[in-house]
Amino acid sequence: MADFRKILVRKRVALVAHDNKKTEMMAWAEQNRAILAQHQLYGTGTTGRMLEEVLDLPVIKLLSGPLGGDQQLGSLIAEGKIDVLIFLWDPMAAQPHDPDVKALLRLCVVWNIPMACNRATADFMLSSPLIHEDYESHQTDYSAYLNRKM
Ligand SMILES: O=C(CO)COP(=O)(O)O
């Protein structure tokens, strides 16, 4: 029998889309508004502003990606302050801030943060029960790395 006493966890969900992917991101976000409304949303500058308009929900907006927004997000991830990243990055266009994009993707792997880079993965993520559960992804043990002998 389902346990209705289970507490729904409000996740910190970061949403980012490159320019050619913004239409897709807005359409996806609108479709998933009911679930997104249950979480705390973050976004890089332009993506965040557009999401606020489309969803009529509050979004914590960082700087625009090329101006440091990806790095701000990476910093929040390293500090354990983001639970999920949905990043529709553009595989067909070079970005002026490509090193920042790579750094953000890398930090998600370093800190075991669920990261969706296309709509299908984003759908799988939002439909997972884990989106509402206490899932400690930011628990990677780096003691061996930190204690290594130089
Ligand atoms: O460039 C981005 C991510 O790399 C996104 O930035 P904006 O949301 O400001 O367009």
Side-chain angles (χ1 to χ4, degrees), residues 16-19 22 44-48 63-66 70 87 97 101:
V16 185
H18 283 153
D19 287 353
K22 283 189 170 67
T44 45
T46 318
T47 309
L63 292 170
S64 182
D70 294 54
F87 187 176
H97 56 308
V101 174

Side-chain angles (χ1 to χ4, degrees), residues 6 18 20-21 26 36 42 51 64 69 76-77 85-87 89 91 123-124 126 129 134 136-138 143 146 150:
K6 224 176 204 170
H18 283 153
N20 292 333
K21 292 282 178 177
M26 297 310 136
L36 292 174
Y42 288 73
L51 283 167
S64 182
L76 289 172
I77 285 166
L85 173 66
I86 294 166
F87 187 176
W89 59 269
D123 285 338
F124 273 65
L126 283 207
D134 212 356
E136 299 286 335
S137 59
H138 198 270
S143 55
L146 293 169
M150 302 296 278

